[in-house]
Amino acid sequence: MKKLVASITLALLMAGAAQAADLGGKLLKVGSDTTSPPMESIDPATGQVVGFDVDVVNAICAKINCQVEFVTTGWDGIFAALDQGNFDLVASGVSITDERKKAMDFSEPYIVNSQAVLTRVEDQNLSLEEFKAQGRKLSAQANTTDAQVAENVVGKENVVAYDSFSAAIIALKNKDVDGVVINGANAAAYEREFAGELVAAIKDLESDPLGLVFRKGDENVAAFNEGLEAIKDDGTLDQLIAKYWGLN
């Protein structure tokens, strides 16, 4: 009987192993707008793409046997480039929205992000109510959920959207706008970069789940979801969150 139980247990284990996703060492290209530390950016010392998204994708690939090459791509054309086959997936702090799900497939969420408002230091005590009442202008990167949040706060007529986040920052420093809606996950990095000039004065606005993005019908979505579940279960994802934000 013991031998029979052992044989059944071994068979079940082997069946589980056989069902585990295995992409056979496939090299996948990953599109990313590498201007958003700590999610993704270029390490000036090495020229390599680094950040939380990079570590998450690599950790998933370690579970499902794949390799990745990150391809720096401007946000404005990143989804069109994915659809055209320039890369296999996008990892760039992308919010999962119902509108986007009509045109692309997402992995399960790997983190939930909330927006913040970056202001000049002298304006750091302004409230959202004062932004609205005084008709102050907000900026954000175009075609992002940040831009949608900005419109919700001050109205579309008081939002200036820019093709790049760096252009929005320049507008804020030049006093063309009074705040920039930013990914809350990036806020601390920009506070450090512009210490003494800019600060994330208003935090915890609307929250969005972030996911990896694939072309519609891509069969790799299931494998990545399996790998994501594995790094959640074994604590790897919590360790990466702690590494970049000191929390989980």
Side-chain angles (χ1 to χ4, degrees):
M1 177 62 75
K2 288 183 178 179
K3 288 184 178 180
L4 177 60
V5 171
S7 297
I8 293 172
T9 302
L10 179 59
L12 289 172
L13 289 172
M14 291 178 67
Q19 292 169 4
D22 187 340
L23 297 185
K26 182 189 298 185
L27 176 64
L28 301 174
K29 291 189 175 181
V30 184
S32 191
D33 179 1
T34 55
T35 61
S36 300
M39 302 301 285
E40 49 270 320
S41 61
I42 304 294
D43 185 336
T46 65
Q48 298 296 307
V49 182
V50 297
F52 176 70
D53 282 342
V54 180
D55 287 356
V56 167
V57 173
N58 281 324
I60 289 173
C61 271
K63 298 293 187 182
I64 62 174
N65 190 20
C66 59
Q67 302 175 57
V68 291
E69 174 188 336
F70 274 76
V71 180
T72 295
T73 307
W75 176 263
D76 191 45
I78 200 166
F79 299 132
L82 172 66
D83 198 47
Q84 292 162 8
N86 292 7
F87 28 79
D88 300 288
L89 66 148
V90 169
S92 199
V94 183
S95 298
I96 302 172
T97 68
D98 289 339
E99 187 65 27
R100 287 174 177 165
K101 286 164 72 173
K102 296 175 184 177
M104 58 197 81
D105 283 344
F106 283 89
S107 70
E108 292 297 320
Y110 59 93
I111 194 171
V112 175
N113 174 66
S114 61
Q115 276 87 4
V117 178
L118 201 64
T119 70
R120 293 179 293 275
V121 168
E122 61 266 29
D123 293 331
Q124 63 182 302
N125 293 321
L126 284 172
S127 66
L128 282 182
E129 288 69 27
E130 288 172 315
F131 265 92
K132 296 174 187 177
Q134 297 172 14
R136 289 179 175 265
K137 291 189 178 296
L138 286 175
S139 65
Q141 190 170 14
N143 302 314
T144 63
T145 53
D146 297 339
Q148 294 170 6
V149 169
E151 291 181 11
N152 292 341
V153 172
V154 295
K156 191 171 183 178
E157 68 279 6
N158 289 316
V159 174
V160 184
Y162 294 89
D163 287 340
S164 68
F165 183 76
S166 58
I169 292 294
I170 291 170
L172 178 59
K173 293 176 71 174
N174 289 343
K175 299 188 176 182
D176 295 325
V177 297
D178 299 296
V180 177
V181 178
I182 181 177
N183 240 328
N186 305 118
Y190 284 105
E191 284 185 318
R192 287 193 298 271
E193 183 175 352
F194 299 103
E197 296 180 88
L198 307 179
V199 61
I202 301 170
K203 299 181 180 179
D204 298 325
L205 298 178
E206 296 182 21
S207 296
D208 293 320
L210 306 186
L212 306 175
V213 190
F214 300 80
R215 286 185 291 278
K216 268 291 183 186
D218 192 326
E219 61 185 13
N220 287 333
V221 175
F224 269 78
N225 279 337
E226 186 172 323
L228 176 57
E229 188 65 28
I231 67 170
K232 288 179 179 178
D233 289 345
D234 72 6
T236 299
L237 184 59
D238 283 343
Q239 291 169 14
L240 291 177
I241 292 171
K243 171 184 175 182
Y244 285 94
W245 293 285
L247 49 87
N248 52 41

Coordinates of all heavy atoms in Angstrom, one line a residue, residues 71-142:
V71 N 13.4 46.8 -25.2 CA 13.6 47.7 -26.3 C 13.0 49.1 -25.9 O 11.8 49.2 -25.7 CB 12.8 47.2 -27.6 CG1 13.0 48.1 -28.7 CG2 13.3 45.8 -27.9
T72 N 13.8 50.1 -25.8 CA 13.3 51.4 -25.5 C 12.4 52.0 -26.6 O 12.8 52.0 -27.7 CB 14.5 52.4 -25.2 OG1 15.3 51.9 -24.1 CG2 14.0 53.8 -25.0
T73 N 11.2 52.4 -26.2 CA 10.2 52.8 -27.1 C 9.5 54.0 -26.5 O 9.1 53.9 -25.3 CB 9.2 51.7 -27.5 OG1 10.0 50.6 -27.9 CG2 8.3 52.2 -28.6
G74 N 9.2 55.1 -27.3 CA 8.5 56.2 -26.7 C 7.0 55.8 -26.4 O 6.4 55.0 -27.2
W75 N 6.5 56.3 -25.4 CA 5.2 55.9 -24.9 C 4.1 56.2 -26.0 O 3.2 55.4 -26.2 CB 4.8 56.7 -23.6 CG 3.4 56.5 -23.2 CD1 2.3 57.2 -23.4 CD2 2.9 55.3 -22.4 NE1 1.2 56.6 -22.9 CE2 1.6 55.5 -22.2 CE3 3.6 54.2 -21.9 CZ2 0.8 54.6 -21.5 CZ3 2.8 53.3 -21.2 CH2 1.5 53.5 -21.0
D76 N 4.3 57.3 -26.7 CA 3.2 57.7 -27.7 C 2.9 56.6 -28.7 O 1.8 56.5 -29.2 CB 3.6 59.0 -28.4 CG 2.5 59.6 -29.2 OD1 1.4 59.7 -28.6 OD2 2.7 60.0 -30.3
G77 N 4.0 55.8 -29.1 CA 3.7 54.8 -30.1 C 3.9 53.4 -29.7 O 4.0 52.5 -30.5
I78 N 3.9 53.2 -28.4 CA 4.3 51.9 -27.8 C 3.3 50.8 -28.1 O 3.7 49.7 -28.5 CB 4.6 52.0 -26.3 CG1 5.5 50.8 -25.9 CG2 3.3 52.1 -25.5 CD1 6.1 51.0 -24.5
F79 N 2.0 51.1 -28.1 CA 1.0 50.1 -28.3 C 0.9 49.8 -29.8 O 0.7 48.6 -30.2 CB -0.3 50.5 -27.7 CG -0.3 50.7 -26.3 CD1 -0.8 51.8 -25.7 CD2 0.3 49.7 -25.4 CE1 -0.8 52.0 -24.3 CE2 0.3 49.9 -24.1 CZ -0.2 51.0 -23.5
A80 N 1.1 50.8 -30.7 CA 1.1 50.5 -32.1 C 2.3 49.7 -32.5 O 2.1 48.8 -33.3 CB 1.1 51.9 -32.9
A81 N 3.4 49.9 -31.9 CA 4.6 49.1 -32.2 C 4.4 47.7 -31.7 O 4.9 46.7 -32.4 CB 5.8 49.7 -31.5
L82 N 3.7 47.5 -30.6 CA 3.4 46.1 -30.2 C 2.5 45.4 -31.2 O 2.8 44.3 -31.6 CB 2.7 46.1 -28.8 CG 2.2 44.8 -28.3 CD1 3.3 43.8 -28.0 CD2 1.3 45.0 -27.0
D83 N 1.5 46.1 -31.6 CA 0.6 45.5 -32.6 C 1.2 45.2 -33.9 O 0.8 44.2 -34.6 CB -0.6 46.5 -32.8 CG -1.8 45.9 -33.4 OD1 -2.2 44.8 -32.9 OD2 -2.4 46.4 -34.4
Q84 N 2.3 46.0 -34.3 CA 3.0 45.7 -35.5 C 4.0 44.6 -35.4 O 4.7 44.3 -36.4 CB 3.6 47.0 -36.0 CG 2.6 48.1 -36.4 CD 3.2 49.5 -36.5 OE1 4.4 49.7 -36.3 NE2 2.3 50.5 -36.7
G85 N 4.2 44.1 -34.2 CA 5.2 43.0 -34.0 C 6.6 43.4 -33.7 O 7.5 42.6 -33.8
N86 N 6.8 44.7 -33.4 CA 8.2 45.2 -33.1 C 8.7 44.5 -31.8 O 9.9 44.4 -31.6 CB 8.2 46.7 -32.9 CG 7.9 47.4 -34.2 OD1 7.6 46.8 -35.2 ND2 8.0 48.7 -34.2
F87 N 7.9 44.1 -30.9 CA 8.2 43.3 -29.8 C 7.1 42.5 -29.3 O 6.0 42.5 -30.0 CB 8.7 44.2 -28.6 CG 8.1 45.6 -28.6 CD1 6.8 45.8 -28.1 CD2 8.8 46.7 -29.0 CE1 6.2 47.1 -28.1 CE2 8.2 48.0 -29.0 CZ 7.0 48.2 -28.5
D88 N 7.3 41.6 -28.3 CA 6.3 40.6 -28.0 C 5.4 41.0 -26.9 O 4.3 40.4 -26.7 CB 7.1 39.3 -27.6 CG 8.0 38.8 -28.7 OD1 7.4 38.3 -29.7 OD2 9.2 38.9 -28.6
L89 N 5.8 41.9 -26.0 CA 5.0 42.4 -24.9 C 5.5 43.8 -24.5 O 6.6 44.2 -24.9 CB 5.0 41.4 -23.7 CG 6.3 41.2 -23.0 CD1 6.0 41.0 -21.5 CD2 7.1 40.0 -23.5
V90 N 4.7 44.4 -23.7 CA 5.1 45.7 -23.2 C 5.1 45.6 -21.6 O 4.1 45.1 -21.0 CB 4.1 46.8 -23.6 CG1 4.3 48.1 -22.8 CG2 4.2 47.1 -25.1
A91 N 6.2 46.1 -21.0 CA 6.3 46.2 -19.6 C 6.7 47.7 -19.3 O 7.9 48.0 -19.5 CB 7.3 45.3 -19.0
S92 N 5.7 48.5 -18.9 CA 6.0 49.9 -18.8 C 5.1 50.6 -17.9 O 4.6 51.7 -18.2 CB 6.0 50.6 -20.2 OG 6.7 51.8 -20.3
G93 N 4.8 50.0 -16.8 CA 3.8 50.6 -15.8 C 2.5 50.9 -16.4 O 1.9 51.9 -16.2
V94 N 1.9 49.9 -17.2 CA 0.7 50.2 -17.9 C -0.5 49.9 -17.1 O -0.7 48.7 -16.6 CB 0.7 49.3 -19.2 CG1 -0.6 49.7 -20.0 CG2 1.9 49.6 -20.1
S95 N -1.4 50.8 -17.0 CA -2.6 50.6 -16.2 C -3.6 49.8 -17.0 O -3.8 49.9 -18.2 CB -3.3 52.0 -15.9 OG -2.5 52.8 -15.1
I96 N -4.2 48.8 -16.3 CA -5.2 48.0 -17.0 C -6.6 48.7 -17.0 O -7.1 49.0 -15.9 CB -5.4 46.6 -16.2 CG1 -4.1 45.9 -16.2 CG2 -6.5 45.8 -16.9 CD1 -4.1 44.7 -15.3
T97 N -7.1 49.0 -18.1 CA -8.4 49.7 -18.2 C -9.3 49.0 -19.2 O -8.8 48.2 -20.1 CB -8.2 51.2 -18.8 OG1 -7.8 51.1 -20.2 CG2 -7.2 52.0 -18.0
D98 N -10.6 49.2 -19.0 CA -11.5 48.5 -19.9 C -11.4 48.9 -21.3 O -11.5 48.1 -22.3 CB -13.0 48.8 -19.4 CG -13.3 48.1 -18.1 OD1 -12.7 47.1 -17.8 OD2 -14.3 48.6 -17.4
E99 N -11.0 50.2 -21.6 CA -10.8 50.7 -22.9 C -9.7 50.0 -23.6 O -9.7 49.5 -24.7 CB -10.7 52.2 -22.9 CG -10.6 52.8 -24.3 CD -11.9 52.7 -25.0 OE1 -13.0 52.6 -24.4 OE2 -11.9 52.7 -26.3
R100 N -8.6 49.9 -22.9 CA -7.4 49.2 -23.4 C -7.6 47.7 -23.7 O -7.1 47.2 -24.6 CB -6.2 49.4 -22.5 CG -5.6 50.9 -22.5 CD -4.5 51.1 -21.5 NE -4.0 52.4 -21.6 CZ -3.2 53.0 -20.7 NH1 -2.9 52.3 -19.6 NH2 -2.8 54.2 -20.9
K101 N -8.4 47.1 -22.8 CA -8.6 45.7 -23.0 C -9.4 45.3 -24.2 O -9.4 44.2 -24.7 CB -9.4 45.2 -21.7 CG -8.5 45.0 -20.5 CD -9.3 44.9 -19.2 CE -9.9 43.6 -19.1 NZ -10.6 43.4 -17.7
K102 N -10.0 46.3 -24.9 CA -10.7 46.1 -26.1 C -9.7 45.8 -27.3 O -10.0 45.1 -28.2 CB -11.6 47.3 -26.5 CG -12.7 47.5 -25.6 CD -13.5 48.8 -25.9 CE -14.6 49.1 -24.9 NZ -15.3 50.4 -25.3
A103 N -8.5 46.4 -27.1 CA -7.5 46.4 -28.2 C -6.3 45.5 -27.9 O -5.5 45.2 -28.8 CB -7.0 47.8 -28.5
M104 N -6.1 45.1 -26.6 CA -4.9 44.3 -26.3 C -5.2 43.4 -25.1 O -6.2 43.6 -24.4 CB -3.8 45.3 -25.9 CG -4.1 46.2 -24.8 SD -3.0 47.7 -24.7 CE -3.6 48.8 -26.0
D105 N -4.4 42.4 -24.9 CA -4.5 41.5 -23.7 C -3.6 41.9 -22.6 O -2.4 42.3 -22.9 CB -4.3 40.1 -24.2 CG -5.5 39.5 -24.9 OD1 -6.6 40.1 -24.9 OD2 -5.3 38.5 -25.6
F106 N -4.0 41.7 -21.4 CA -3.2 42.0 -20.2 C -2.9 40.7 -19.4 O -3.7 39.8 -19.4 CB -3.9 43.0 -19.3 CG -3.8 44.4 -19.8 CD1 -4.8 44.9 -20.6 CD2 -2.8 45.3 -19.4 CE1 -4.8 46.2 -21.0 CE2 -2.8 46.6 -19.8 CZ -3.8 47.1 -20.6
S107 N -1.8 40.7 -18.7 CA -1.6 39.7 -17.7 C -2.4 40.1 -16.5 O -3.1 41.1 -16.5 CB -0.1 39.7 -17.3 OG 0.2 40.9 -16.5
E108 N -2.5 39.2 -15.5 CA -3.1 39.6 -14.2 C -2.3 40.8 -13.6 O -1.1 40.9 -14.0 CB -3.0 38.4 -13.3 CG -4.0 37.3 -13.7 CD -5.4 37.7 -13.7 OE1 -5.9 38.4 -12.8 OE2 -6.1 37.2 -14.7
P109 N -2.8 41.6 -12.8 CA -2.1 42.7 -12.2 C -0.9 42.2 -11.4 O -1.0 41.2 -10.7 CB -3.1 43.4 -11.3 CG -4.4 42.9 -11.8 CD -4.2 41.6 -12.3
Y110 N 0.2 43.0 -11.4 CA 1.3 42.6 -10.6 C 1.6 43.7 -9.5 O 2.4 43.4 -8.6 CB 2.6 42.4 -11.4 CG 3.0 43.6 -12.3 CD1 4.0 44.5 -11.8 CD2 2.6 43.7 -13.6 CE1 4.4 45.6 -12.6 CE2 3.0 44.8 -14.4 CZ 3.9 45.7 -13.9 OH 4.3 46.8 -14.7
I111 N 0.9 44.8 -9.6 CA 1.0 45.8 -8.5 C -0.1 46.8 -8.8 O -0.6 46.9 -9.9 CB 2.4 46.6 -8.6 CG1 2.6 47.4 -7.3 CG2 2.5 47.5 -9.8 CD1 4.0 47.9 -7.1
V112 N -0.6 47.5 -7.7 CA -1.6 48.5 -7.8 C -0.9 49.9 -7.6 O -0.2 50.0 -6.6 CB -2.8 48.3 -6.8 CG1 -3.7 49.4 -6.9 CG2 -3.5 47.0 -7.1
N113 N -1.2 50.8 -8.5 CA -0.5 52.1 -8.4 C -1.5 53.2 -8.2 O -2.7 53.1 -8.7 CB 0.2 52.3 -9.7 CG 0.8 53.7 -9.8 OD1 1.7 54.1 -9.1 ND2 0.3 54.5 -10.7
S114 N -1.2 54.2 -7.5 CA -2.1 55.4 -7.3 C -1.3 56.6 -7.8 O -0.1 56.7 -7.6 CB -2.5 55.6 -5.8 OG -1.3 55.8 -5.0
Q115 N -2.1 57.5 -8.4 CA -1.5 58.8 -8.9 C -1.2 59.8 -7.9 O -1.8 59.8 -6.8 CB -2.3 59.4 -10.0 CG -2.2 58.8 -11.4 CD -3.1 57.6 -11.6 OE1 -3.9 57.2 -10.7 NE2 -2.9 56.9 -12.8
A116 N -0.2 60.7 -8.2 CA 0.1 61.8 -7.3 C 0.2 63.1 -8.1 O 0.3 63.0 -9.4 CB 1.4 61.5 -6.6
V117 N 0.3 64.2 -7.5 CA 0.5 65.5 -8.2 C 1.9 66.1 -7.7 O 2.1 66.3 -6.6 CB -0.6 66.5 -7.9 CG1 -0.3 67.8 -8.6 CG2 -2.0 65.9 -8.3
L118 N 2.7 66.3 -8.7 CA 4.0 66.9 -8.5 C 3.9 68.4 -8.7 O 3.3 68.8 -9.6 CB 5.0 66.3 -9.5 CG 6.5 66.4 -9.3 CD1 6.9 65.5 -8.1 CD2 7.3 65.9 -10.5
T119 N 4.3 69.1 -7.7 CA 4.2 70.6 -7.7 C 5.6 71.2 -7.5 O 6.5 70.6 -7.0 CB 3.2 71.2 -6.7 OG1 3.8 71.0 -5.4 CG2 1.9 70.5 -6.8
R120 N 5.7 72.5 -7.7 CA 6.9 73.3 -7.2 C 6.8 73.3 -5.7 O 5.8 73.3 -5.1 CB 6.9 74.7 -7.9 CG 7.1 74.7 -9.4 CD 7.1 76.1 -9.9 NE 5.8 76.7 -9.8 CZ 4.7 76.6 -10.7 NH1 4.9 75.8 -11.7 NH2 3.6 77.2 -10.5
V121 N 8.0 73.4 -5.1 CA 8.1 73.4 -3.6 C 7.2 74.5 -3.0 O 6.5 74.2 -2.0 CB 9.6 73.5 -3.2 CG1 9.6 73.7 -1.7 CG2 10.3 72.2 -3.5
E122 N 7.2 75.6 -3.6 CA 6.5 76.8 -3.0 C 5.0 76.5 -3.0 O 4.2 77.2 -2.3 CB 6.8 78.1 -3.7 CG 6.5 78.2 -5.2 CD 7.7 77.8 -6.0 OE1 8.6 77.0 -5.6 OE2 7.8 78.3 -7.2
D123 N 4.5 75.6 -3.9 CA 3.1 75.3 -4.0 C 2.7 74.0 -3.3 O 1.5 73.5 -3.5 CB 2.7 75.3 -5.5 CG 2.8 76.6 -6.2 OD1 2.7 77.6 -5.5 OD2 3.0 76.6 -7.4
Q124 N 3.5 73.5 -2.5 CA 3.3 72.1 -2.0 C 2.1 72.0 -1.0 O 1.6 71.0 -0.7 CB 4.5 71.6 -1.3 CG 5.0 72.3 -0.1 CD 6.3 71.7 0.5 OE1 6.3 70.6 0.9 NE2 7.3 72.6 0.6
N125 N 1.6 73.2 -0.5 CA 0.5 73.1 0.4 C -0.8 73.3 -0.3 O -1.9 73.3 0.4 CB 0.7 74.2 1.5 CG 1.9 73.9 2.4 OD1 2.1 72.7 2.8 ND2 2.6 74.9 2.8
L126 N -0.8 73.5 -1.6 CA -2.1 73.6 -2.3 C -2.9 72.3 -2.2 O -2.3 71.2 -2.3 CB -1.8 73.9 -3.8 CG -1.4 75.3 -4.1 CD1 -1.0 75.4 -5.6 CD2 -2.5 76.3 -3.9
S127 N -4.2 72.4 -2.0 CA -5.1 71.2 -2.0 C -5.7 71.0 -3.4 O -5.7 71.9 -4.2 CB -6.2 71.4 -0.9 OG -7.0 72.5 -1.3
L128 N -6.3 69.9 -3.5 CA -7.0 69.6 -4.8 C -8.1 70.6 -5.0 O -8.4 71.1 -6.1 CB -7.6 68.2 -4.8 CG -6.7 67.1 -5.1 CD1 -7.4 65.8 -5.1 CD2 -5.9 67.3 -6.4
E129 N -8.8 71.0 -3.9 CA -9.9 72.0 -3.9 C -9.4 73.3 -4.4 O -10.1 74.0 -5.2 CB -10.5 72.1 -2.6 CG -11.4 70.9 -2.1 CD -10.5 69.7 -1.8 OE1 -9.3 69.8 -1.4 OE2 -11.0 68.6 -2.0
E130 N -8.2 73.7 -4.0 CA -7.6 75.0 -4.4 C -7.2 74.9 -5.9 O -7.4 75.9 -6.6 CB -6.4 75.3 -3.6 CG -6.8 75.8 -2.2 CD -5.6 75.9 -1.2 OE1 -4.7 75.1 -1.2 OE2 -5.6 77.0 -0.5
F131 N -6.7 73.8 -6.4 CA -6.4 73.6 -7.8 C -7.7 73.9 -8.6 O -7.7 74.5 -9.6 CB -5.9 72.2 -8.1 CG -4.4 72.1 -8.1 CD1 -3.7 71.8 -6.9 CD2 -3.7 72.4 -9.3 CE1 -2.3 71.8 -6.9 CE2 -2.3 72.3 -9.3 CZ -1.6 72.0 -8.1
K132 N -8.8 73.3 -8.2 CA -10.1 73.4 -8.9 C -10.6 74.8 -8.8 O -11.0 75.4 -9.8 CB -11.1 72.4 -8.3 CG -10.8 71.0 -8.4 CD -11.8 70.1 -7.7 CE -11.4 68.6 -7.6 NZ -12.4 67.8 -6.8
A133 N -10.7 75.4 -7.6 CA -11.3 76.7 -7.4 C -10.5 77.8 -8.1 O -11.1 78.8 -8.5 CB -11.4 77.0 -5.9
Q134 N -9.2 77.7 -8.1 CA -8.4 78.7 -8.7 C -8.1 78.5 -10.2 O -7.4 79.3 -10.8 CB -7.1 78.8 -7.9 CG -7.3 79.2 -6.4 CD -6.0 79.1 -5.6 OE1 -4.9 79.0 -6.2 NE2 -6.1 79.1 -4.3
G135 N -8.7 77.5 -10.8 CA -8.4 77.3 -12.2 C -7.0 77.0 -12.5 O -6.5 77.4 -13.6
R136 N -6.3 76.4 -11.6 CA -4.9 76.1 -11.9 C -4.7 75.0 -12.9 O -5.6 74.1 -13.0 CB -4.1 75.7 -10.6 CG -4.0 76.9 -9.7 CD -3.3 76.5 -8.4 NE -3.0 77.7 -7.5 CZ -1.9 78.4 -7.5 NH1 -0.9 78.0 -8.3 NH2 -1.7 79.4 -6.7
K137 N -3.6 75.0 -13.7 CA -3.4 74.1 -14.7 C -2.6 72.9 -14.3 O -1.6 73.0 -13.5 CB -2.7 74.8 -15.9 CG -3.6 75.8 -16.7 CD -3.0 76.2 -17.9 CE -3.9 77.2 -18.7 NZ -5.2 76.6 -19.1
L138 N -3.0 71.7 -14.7 CA -2.2 70.5 -14.5 C -1.7 70.0 -15.9 O -2.4 70.2 -16.9 CB -3.1 69.4 -13.9 CG -3.5 69.6 -12.4 CD1 -4.4 68.5 -12.0 CD2 -2.2 69.5 -11.5
S139 N -0.6 69.3 -15.8 CA -0.1 68.6 -17.0 C 0.1 67.1 -16.8 O 0.1 66.7 -15.6 CB 1.2 69.3 -17.5 OG 2.2 69.0 -16.6
A140 N 0.2 66.4 -17.8 CA 0.5 65.0 -17.7 C 1.0 64.5 -19.1 O 0.9 65.2 -20.1 CB -0.8 64.2 -17.3
Q141 N 1.5 63.3 -19.1 CA 1.9 62.7 -20.4 C 0.6 62.3 -21.2 O -0.3 61.7 -20.6 CB 2.8 61.5 -20.2 CG 3.4 61.0 -21.5 CD 4.5 59.9 -21.2 OE1 4.6 59.4 -20.1 NE2 5.3 59.6 -22.2
A142 N 0.5 62.6 -22.4 CA -0.6 62.3 -23.3 C -0.9 60.8 -23.3 O 0.0 60.0 -23.3 CB -0.5 62.9 -24.7

